[in-house]
Amino acid sequence: MAKGIKDKVAILGMGCAKFGERWDKDAEQLAVEAFQEAIADAGIDTSQIDAAWLSVAFDAVNIGPSGIPLATALRLPNIGVTKVENYCASGTEAFRGAVYAVASGAADIALAVGVEKLKDTGYGGLPVRTRGSTFDMIGVTGSAPGNFAQLAAAYRNAHGVSKDDLKLAMAHVSVKSHANGAKNPKAHLRKLIDIDTVMNAPMIADPLGLFDCCGVSDGAACAIVTTPEIAHTLGKRDLVTVKALQIVTSNGWESQGTGWNGSYFHTTRTAAVKAYAEAGVTNPRDEISLIEVHDCFSITELVTMEDLYISPEGEGWKDVLNGFFDADGKVPCQIDGGLKCFGHPIGASGLRMIYENYLQLLGRAGERQRSTPPRLALSHNLGGMPNQNVSAVAIVGLPDA
Amino acid sequence: MNANSGILSYGAYIPRLRLQRSAIFAANAWFAAGLKGLAMGERAIANWDEDSVTMAVEAARDCLTGFDRGTVTALSLASTTHPFADRLNSGIVKEALTLSDSISALDVAGSQRAGTSSLIQALNAGVNGGTQLCVASELRKARPASEGELVQGDAAAAILVGAGDPIARFIGSHSVTLDFVDHFRASGADFDYTWESRWIRDEGYSMLLGDALAAAIETLVVDPAKIDRLLIPITVRGVPEGLAKKLGVPAAAVADTLAPNVGDSGVAHPLLMLAAALEQARPGETIMLVGFGQGCDVLLFETTEAIANLPRRDGFSGALARGKADENYLRFLFHRGLLDLDRGMRAEADQKQPGTTLFRNRKTVLGLVGGRCTKTGTVQFPRSEISVNPTDRAIGTQEDYPLAEKQARIVTYTADSLTYSPAPPQYYGMIDFEGGGRMFTEFADVDAESIEVGLAMKMMFRIKAVDEKRDFIKYFWKAVPVQQPAAGE
């Protein structure tokens, strides 16, 4: 295996727009909002940026198929701007582009911006879209909750968990994220909820009720990266470095081959193993300080705890119920509210997770700051559906972690 | 006429939902109180994703149970409700059945006896006609609060004809053609226009059909007292019995018209009744079959010893038993396009189908043909240039591997209330086929209380989506539960 990029790249600055129903702004304006915070944090001028990556997942309701809108909105200095799209993992994909450009030496300073304008569709949930004319003839155009809901039946079947136990654990996931989101001024959903509300909510895709589903939001997030050396030269003292960055893409085995039982993410397990190897993590349950995962649905978060090897297989639901992932638990998960409450502007989500981890590592997370000082933080960003997806794992940490 | 040719096999399909006539009447009684006398029993209704093509495929599959499909040399699809006016409907059926490309195919239409007329053509071709699959299928469409809405039903039937070892020999036929306009439907029109029922009964059934039957009995030299089964697809009460009495056919020989539990399935009805009769018939029986529409066809058969050896199939009784009582009249209207519900923005997705993509992938899409690696035996859907097998990525080794007749089991599932479906929630999930291969597919005819991981499923040919902008129907396969509780269970 390649020796990886551990500590070769540092985060110079990050920014994040207020997520939510941003009726007031276009995608370009949201990008500017996130960028202004990031560039101020980085303490550089736009002219110092060598290359940029832009992640957006939905062409039709956004900005079209190129990097031009970002270059124009930010008035970037005629540099390469690459638009990337990898379903809901697009944000981490953009981050990877910028990080790899710096790690390779091709760029000194690189920019990653993720943005999504979902609330111009006219309806709730994600827009219906084609997956190509061949797929559309034989595939299922289900909704996102419908695709992810299938994890639940398969998980119950694989581990002998009752419907009621699993539904309760799923409810705990959402209640916890709402408690966290309530403390986050940039979060889309900031209301506390209780278990009964989750359990009795209208069914969206069995067994996922309304509160098992994350918010669908407008928003943008931004990272500016460079090498640790350049960061020092620029006067940056509080560094967060990239420890690992892995993206794993399904090759059809889950959906066409033999052996996958539908209860877990094959890609996430593979990405986690690779990321831990790259970061030098041997016991994630003890070594990872906090995690941001792709909690598009409560059940996704629950099984991901196992796929990241934080919880033993089949036991994740017990850790959830025991509060292991609560804000005051052993390994907080979604301390910012997660996709569930911070919101899920697709192209921005992966960068938003890294933004939160960055703030937490630097002790800048305000009211929701983790009391135990975190050292290594993991983000998991997933695109697609359980049987065919892109899974990204990024680990960032303090330079000596 | 030809001692060596006749009927080789039969099959039937009745859609699962059985709309209670009392529910139809209850909704319309304020307007059409006179329909009360017809508000008994139930009628078969196609689901939103079924039409005369999909039902034809299912009847044909039933009919071909135990037969080598490679032997079929000709296919006909009789219907007055073909979904396409100019795209060979039987061509779609051919692809779904994965029949040989080297067959002839014909759509037959124009009257309620299109099914019997095409059957006569096939039978008269004798040994020179090869093995011919005659399918008749009908998706009835009637105005709300009409008599037709109550008495009609949707169904399909298939009869395999050819040389070899027939289960019923074809003795002969007699046809008359008269422009008797008891009802009509102009090209492109949705509904029938029907003349007075008393006139149809007296002039049509008693005189025209009665005379034709008498002539057939004389021409075909058959003793009416020796007719074991008289199949008259007229669901008007008392008509078949009256004709039998007039002709001297024993009352016991008069076949059930399937009025109480299926309804008059139009072009499909004579063949459906024939399939039902053959299912019960013993060797040596004389069967007379009638088709009525601007004249009539009378066909005479004699069953042979071979009928006892026909491989088991769901058949008419299986299709009938699969029924599920339905009281939802509004849903029925919606599914027939007679109620314009607000379907929401999710229903606006463009369903444009590139003809190039469909033709290139026709076996995969219409035939549910996957791939099997000749090197490792790995089965997969869809087939691909490079094998999905992680231990051997063999390139270019896959051969066609039809999956439509394989049973499967549910691996994952959900009931999706968010995605657009004409019959929410939409059930779908992943299934594993017996013998290998898996697919992520929509489910149909599912009961909420019985769906679970591990449930046995089989595939059915259905409508996947409709491109309403361009009037194109996209067909594919869906998984349905294998064992379904009978009505009332």
Side-chain angles (χ1 to χ4, degrees), chain B residues 186-248:
Chain B
S187 295
D190 281 334
F191 305 112
D192 294 351
Y193 189 82
T194 306
W195 209 249
E196 189 184 2
S197 59
R198 296 178 61 82
W199 175 68
I200 299 168
R201 190 189 59 203
D202 292 350
E203 288 282 314
Y205 302 151
S206 287
M207 302 283 289
L208 197 162
L209 179 54
D211 290 353
L213 278 165
I217 283 167
E218 194 181 327
T219 312
L220 300 170
V221 199
V222 58
D223 178 357
K226 298 243 169 86
I227 291 174
D228 297 290
R229 296 177 192 271
L230 178 63
L231 317 183
I232 299 178
I234 310 288
T235 55
V236 178
R237 221 170 294 159
V239 168
E241 291 79 3
L243 287 167
K245 192 172 177 186
K246 198 165 125 187
L247 296 163

Side-chain angles (χ1 to χ4, degrees), chain B residues 11 18 22 45 75 95-96 123 132 176 202 261 280 297-298 361 378 385 399 450 486-487:
Chain B
R18 310 293 153 80
S22 54
I45 55 168
L75 168 67
E95 298 291 358
L123 288 160
Q132 306 193 56
V176 296
D202 292 350
N261 45 15
Q280 293 177 348
D297 295 324
V298 183
N361 295 283
T378 302
E385 300 298 320
E399 61 183 6
S450 61

Side-chain angles (χ1 to χ4, degrees), chain B residues 158-436:
Chain B
I159 304 291
L160 190 67
V161 167
D165 194 9
I167 59 169
R169 285 190 306 113
F170 179 48
I171 308 297
S173 66
H174 175 75
S175 293
V176 296
T177 298
L178 285 161
D179 188 28
F180 180 74
V181 190
D182 54 342
H183 74 279
F184 67 91
R185 174 160 33 99
S187 295
D190 281 334
F191 305 112
D192 294 351
Y193 189 82
T194 306
W195 209 249
E196 189 184 2
S197 59
R198 296 178 61 82
W199 175 68
I200 299 168
R201 190 189 59 203
D202 292 350
E203 288 282 314
Y205 302 151
S206 287
M207 302 283 289
L208 197 162
L209 179 54
D211 290 353
L213 278 165
I217 283 167
E218 194 181 327
T219 312
L220 300 170
V221 199
V222 58
D223 178 357
K226 298 243 169 86
I227 291 174
D228 297 290
R229 296 177 192 271
L230 178 63
L231 317 183
I232 299 178
I234 310 288
T235 55
V236 178
R237 221 170 294 159
V239 168
E241 291 79 3
L243 287 167
K245 192 172 177 186
K246 198 165 125 187
L247 296 163
V249 176
V254 177
D256 176 8
T257 62
L258 318 178
N261 45 15
V262 178
D264 178 355
S265 61
V267 169
H269 215 58
L271 270 60
L272 187 67
M273 289 181 67
L274 179 58
L278 289 169
E279 189 174 295
Q280 293 177 348
R282 286 193 289 261
E285 287 191 8
T286 300
I287 298 175
M288 184 169 270
L289 171 68
V290 166
F292 182 83
Q294 285 76 58
C296 49
D297 295 324
V298 183
L299 297 83
L300 193 66
F301 300 98
E302 187 180 77
T303 56
T304 72
E305 294 294 332
I307 200 164
N309 304 323
L310 199 67
R312 276 184 59 87
R313 69 218 38 231
D314 289 345
F316 170 79
S317 57
L320 192 67
R322 206 176 148 258
K324 182 184 180 183
D326 184 9
E327 304 266 351
N328 197 333
Y329 177 66
L330 280 184
R331 181 170 59 195
F332 166 72
L333 289 184
F334 176 55
H335 287 174
R336 289 297 169 277
L338 300 171
L339 186 65
D340 192 13
L341 296 179
D342 179 358
R343 297 180 295 172
M345 288 186 184
R346 286 181 181 275
E348 293 170 4
D350 194 350
Q351 297 292 345
K352 186 174 185 174
Q353 171 64 63
T356 46
T357 323
L358 178 57
F359 184 67
R360 201 161 53 232
N361 295 283
R362 62 191 180 279
K363 280 188 184 177
T364 304
V365 179
L366 299 175
L368 198 70
V369 176
R372 182 186 169 279
C373 175
T374 50
K375 195 174 160 205
T376 65
T378 302
V379 175
Q380 63 172 76
F381 182 85
R383 64 180 281 178
S384 57
E385 300 298 320
I386 304 176
S387 173
V388 72
N389 185 342
T391 62
D392 190 342
R393 305 288 192 195
I395 302 172
T397 56
Q398 289 175 44
E399 61 183 6
D400 282 350
Y401 187 83
L403 288 162
E405 303 303 327
K406 304 283 180 194
Q407 281 205 8
R409 290 197 181 274
I410 292 179
V411 180
T412 68
Y413 73 91
T414 189
D416 191 337
S417 302
L418 184 61
T419 195
Y420 174 71
S421 166
Q426 181 170 311
Y427 286 89
Y428 55 92
M430 195 159 67
I431 55 170
D432 272 348
F433 288 102
E434 281 177 10

Side-chain angles (χ1 to χ4, degrees), chain A residues 139 143 150 204 206 254 260, chain B residues 346 382 412 414 416-417 438 464:
Chain A
S143 70
Q150 294 168 64
I204 303 296
D206 189 55
E254 300 97 310
W260 183 65
Chain B
R346 286 181 181 275
T412 68
T414 189
D416 191 337
S417 302
R438 60 170 39 179
K464 180 161 170 51

Side-chain angles (χ1 to χ4, degrees), chain A residues 172-192:
Chain A
H172 187 105
V173 166
S174 298
V175 169
K176 171 265 298 167
S177 291
H178 273 262
N180 295 347
K183 294 180 180 173
N184 183 350
K186 286 187 177 175
H188 181 173
L189 305 170
R190 303 195 62 199
K191 253 190 199 162
L192 295 171

Side-chain angles (χ1 to χ4, degrees), chain B residues 466-479:
Chain B
V466 177
D467 176 0
E468 293 172 355
K469 268 189 189 170
R470 305 164 193 89
D471 292 324
F472 192 80
I473 299 166
K474 296 162 81 172
Y475 296 100
F476 188 51
W477 294 80
K478 298 181 185 177

